[in-house]
């Protein structure tokens, strides 16, 4: 239900090579612990017990090569707070409380080549709450102009050609991009719909940089990131949650009918559906597994497991 207080935005599965070059997976459990799992030996490395009082709804990882640290953001939408962790020492470095007036759904790291920041979205029925940029001491450094929307998903994109950083948000009604350097709205990607947009990916492998987004109105939309023009719209016939770009031609889409659909985005075809979850798909992610090569990770909403899909070549 798009009007429910806790919708189901994409919560990216953190899987990363650490400072010691080990492939780790981060997940949580019913006790709101943070669990670090070694995918190479398929064994739990450590557990931070009761990391939050309420359920953890999202994670983001950042590899700090300069200081040799693995940093993690954990988010609790019900608590409206973010915690910053040093995973190497399993210690909490910062706790940001986002206020009573809004729900906190998404946050990410932003490195502008000078300093590292935490970018925090906001969701409030009264609106009027802008996106905020915090330093690692918890001080608000910047508020993004014209960003007082109901934000379900937030991420950043660095355009090498223009040397510009962009902030991208999936909102209630449309997708927006902001020019971080100029602190202003760059584009509003709108197709006259009022549904939520819980997941966004950028494909910059072609001549035209494409913004690909999912929507609760059962459509995938592909936009020209810089012009704001709608390039393609693909009907899926089910409410969409998460997206994962496999290559230039194929996209994995998490749906509320408990399936993951494989979409040929050049020919507008659904070529397969993956079955195996008991609830709508919360998030999916492509990984390069040390044993199995290119694989897919997926998690169902409020499911107690993460599934690994091994792609067999025909």
């Amino acid at each position: 239900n798009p009007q429910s207080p806790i919708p189901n935005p994409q919560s990216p599965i953190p899987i990363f090579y650490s400072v010691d070059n080990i492939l780790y997976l981060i997940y949580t459990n019913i006790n709101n612990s943070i669990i670090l799992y070694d995918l190479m030996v398929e064994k739990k490395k450590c557990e931070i017990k009761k990391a939050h009082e309420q359920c953890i709804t999202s994670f983001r990882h950042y590899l700090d090569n300069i200081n040799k640290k693995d940093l993690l953001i954990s988010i609790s939408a019900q608590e409206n707070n973010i915690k910053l962790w040093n995973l190497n020492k399993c210690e909490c470095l910062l706790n940001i409380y986002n206020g009573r007036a809004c729900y906190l759904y998404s946050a990410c790291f932003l490195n502008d080549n000078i300093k590292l920041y935490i970018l925090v979205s906001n969701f409030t029925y009264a609106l009027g709450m802008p996106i905020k940029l915090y330093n690692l001491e918890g001080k608000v450094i910047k508020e993004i102009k014209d960003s007082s929307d109901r934000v379900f998903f937030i991420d950043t994109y660095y355009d090498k050609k223009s040397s510009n950083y962009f902030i991208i948000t999936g909102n209630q009604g449309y997708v927006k991009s902001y020019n971080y350097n100029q602190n202003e709205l760059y584009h509003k990607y709108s197709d006259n719909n009022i549904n939520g947009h819980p997941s966004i990916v950028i494909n910059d492998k072609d001549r035209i940089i494409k913004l690909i987004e999912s929507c609760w109105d059962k459509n995938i939309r592909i936009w020209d990131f810089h012009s704001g023009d709608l390039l393609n719209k693909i009907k899926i016939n089910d409410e969409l949650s998460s997206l994962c770009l496999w290559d230039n031609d194929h996209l994995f889409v998490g749906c509320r009918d408990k399936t993951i659909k494989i979409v040929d985005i050049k020919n507008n075809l659904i070529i397969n559906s993956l079955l195996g979850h008991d609830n709508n798909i919360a998030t999916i992610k492509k990984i390069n597994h040390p044993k199995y090569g290119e694989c897919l990770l997926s998690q169902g909403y409020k499911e107690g497991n993460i599934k690994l899909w091994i792609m067999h070549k025909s």
Side-chain angles (χ1 to χ4, degrees):
N1 180 4
Q3 299 303 319
S4 65
I6 306 291
N8 182 23
Q10 183 193 31
S11 173
I13 300 174
I15 181 166
F16 56 89
Y17 278 98
S18 64
V19 290
D20 50 359
N21 203 35
I22 297 175
L23 185 63
Y24 285 115
L25 167 70
I26 292 285
Y27 64 94
T28 185
N29 60 17
I30 196 171
N31 298 316
N32 307 320
S33 299
I34 295 174
I35 298 162
L36 188 63
Y37 186 85
D38 187 333
L39 277 170
M40 290 183 175
V41 298
E42 298 181 351
K43 186 177 180 180
K44 183 169 70 174
K45 171 71 179 295
C46 69
E47 179 177 348
I48 304 172
K49 295 185 177 180
K50 295 184 179 179
H52 286 263
E53 294 297 321
Q54 301 290 333
C55 65
I56 301 170
T57 50
S58 186
F59 292 110
R60 291 291 179 95
H61 169 263
Y62 180 80
L63 177 60
D64 184 355
N65 279 314
I66 295 176
N67 298 302
K68 302 300 180 185
K69 292 180 182 178
D70 286 291
L71 299 177
L72 184 79
I73 293 171
S74 63
I75 302 169
S76 174
Q78 293 170 311
E79 288 182 14
N80 292 325
N81 78 330
I82 298 169
K83 290 188 178 181
L84 175 67
W85 304 87
N86 178 348
L87 285 180
N88 310 103
K89 295 183 178 180
C90 292
E91 64 178 354
C92 184
L93 303 176
L94 179 65
N95 187 355
I96 299 172
Y97 177 61
N98 208 39
R100 293 182 300 171
C102 62
Y103 295 98
L104 173 61
Y105 289 132
S106 189
C108 64
F109 289 101
L110 189 151
N111 188 339
D112 64 1
N113 287 331
I114 299 174
K115 286 187 177 181
L116 181 65
Y117 301 99
I118 299 173
L119 187 65
V120 179
S121 71
N122 287 284
F123 184 106
T124 171
Y125 289 106
L127 300 181
M129 297 289 290
I131 295 168
K132 296 177 182 179
L133 192 75
Y134 290 86
N135 65 16
L136 298 193
E137 286 73 49
K139 181 180 178 182
V140 176
I141 302 299
K142 180 190 291 189
E143 293 185 351
I144 309 302
K145 294 179 181 178
D146 193 32
S147 66
S148 300
D149 301 301
R150 297 170 181 174
V151 179
F152 298 124
F153 177 79
I154 193 166
D155 209 345
T156 62
Y157 171 65
Y158 178 67
D159 182 16
K160 295 179 182 179
K161 186 174 290 187
S162 65
S163 299
N164 275 329
Y165 289 90
F166 294 94
I167 297 166
I168 302 163
T169 62
N171 311 296
Q172 181 84 31
Y174 34 74
V175 171
K176 282 184 174 181
S177 61
Y178 301 89
N179 188 314
Y180 168 77
N181 304 85
Q182 299 176 12
N183 193 26
E184 64 183 16
L185 180 69
Y186 185 62
H187 278 303
K188 177 179 174 180
Y189 310 88
S190 179
D191 190 31
N192 298 321
N193 66 87
I194 58 171
N195 288 271
H197 301 261
S199 184
I200 303 163
V201 294
I202 298 291
N203 182 7
D204 57 3
K205 305 302 180 185
D206 290 333
R207 180 179 58 86
I208 297 175
I209 298 174
K210 298 180 179 70
L211 183 150
I212 306 172
E213 49 105 345
S214 64
C215 183
W216 287 334
D217 73 352
K218 307 178 182 181
N219 284 293
I220 296 168
R221 289 175 176 83
I222 302 176
W223 305 84
D224 183 321
F225 178 77
H226 285 303
S227 73
D229 295 332
L230 181 62
L231 303 176
N232 195 9
K233 182 162 68 173
I234 306 171
K235 191 73 172 180
I236 301 297
N237 294 320
D238 194 69
E239 290 186 23
L240 309 178
S241 53
S242 50
L243 292 176
C244 172
L245 190 66
W246 187 260
D247 54 35
N248 281 345
D249 298 333
H250 299 94
L251 191 73
F252 285 80
V253 187
C255 301
R256 289 182 179 254
D257 68 355
K258 308 174 188 177
T259 68
I260 300 170
K261 292 179 171 56
I262 306 174
V263 182
D264 181 334
I265 54 179
K266 292 204 171 179
N267 296 302
N268 293 7
L269 295 173
I270 299 173
I271 59 176
N272 203 354
S273 291
L274 306 180
L275 302 173
H277 283 281
D278 298 323
N279 210 330
N280 52 293
I281 310 302
T283 183
I284 49 179
K285 184 172 183 177
K286 178 183 178 180
I287 70 166
N288 192 2
H289 196 280
K291 293 183 180 179
Y292 309 117
E294 291 184 331
C295 298
L296 190 76
L297 282 178
S298 65
Q299 187 172 29
Y301 185 55
K302 291 187 177 179
E303 285 186 358
N305 53 55
I306 295 172
K307 295 185 182 294
L308 176 68
W309 303 82
I310 301 170
M311 301 301 160
H312 297 287
K313 295 182 180 180
S314 56

